[in-house]
Amino acid sequence: MSSCSQKKNTTSLIKATVVVAVVSALTACGIAAPKTEIAYAEAMLQSARNIGANEFSGVELERAKNKLQRAKEEMKDGNNEKALRLANESTADSSLAQAKTEAGKASAAEKQMQKSMQMLKSQLK
C-alpha cells in the first residue's frame, strides 16, 4: 500500500470517527426541554376552553388535556423527545377542538336562523 493511500484511509477514518463522536454526543444530549411547546399547548388548550369546546368537542379537549399533562411529566423525567411529541399532539388536538367548536356553533346558528325564518313565514301567511 502506498503512503498516499494510507494517508487517505487514515484521513477517512479520522473523519468517520469525528462524525460518530459528534452524532453520539448529540444523541446523548438529546433535545432541549420543550418548554415553549408546552406553554403553547397550554395556551391552545385554554383558548379551546374559552370558546366553549366542552360543549362541542369534549373528547378532543380531554385528549389534549391528557397529552399536555403527559408531556409535562415526560419533560420532568428528562424524556424531552417524547415530551415534545406529546406537546405538539396536544396542540393539534386543541386546534381540532377549536375547529369543531366553531363548526358546531355555526351549525347551531344556522339552525336557529332557519327556525326564525320558519316562524316569520308562518306569521306572514
Side-chain angles (χ1 to χ4, degrees):
M1 200 186 258
S2 70
S3 103
C4 184
S5 178
Q6 279 183 319
K7 225 177 194 179
K8 284 183 184 179
N9 285 341
T10 304
T11 303
S12 295
L13 183 59
I14 291 171
K15 286 180 182 176
T17 303
V18 169
V19 168
V20 168
V22 168
V23 169
S24 296
L26 289 176
T27 304
C29 292
I31 62 169
K35 293 177 184 176
T36 303
E37 289 83 357
I38 287 178
Y40 184 67
E42 285 178 325
M44 288 292 288
L45 182 61
Q46 189 58 47
S47 179
R49 286 180 178 143
N50 289 345
I51 64 167
N54 285 331
E55 182 180 350
F56 294 96
S57 51
V59 172
E60 291 80 5
L61 195 63
E62 187 66 24
R63 196 174 329 158
K65 183 181 114 185
N66 290 338
K67 286 180 182 177
L68 177 59
Q69 191 172 27
R70 287 176 36 216
K72 288 177 181 179
E73 291 168 5
E74 292 295 340
M75 186 175 72
K76 190 183 208 182
D77 293 342
N79 301 326
N80 293 336
E81 273 186 63
K82 193 169 186 179
L84 176 62
R85 181 183 54 79
L86 287 165
N88 288 335
E89 287 178 13
S90 174
T91 297
D93 288 337
S94 293
S95 183
L96 177 60
Q98 288 180 14
K100 286 181 78 172
T101 299
E102 294 298 333
K105 285 181 176 183
S107 178
E110 179 186 18
K111 286 178 185 174
Q112 183 61 40
M113 186 68 92
Q114 287 176 352
K115 188 176 177 181
S116 296
M117 298 244 325
Q118 286 295 342
M119 287 178 60
L120 283 173
K121 283 182 184 177
S122 68
Q123 288 176 357
L124 291 174
K125 289 183 179 179

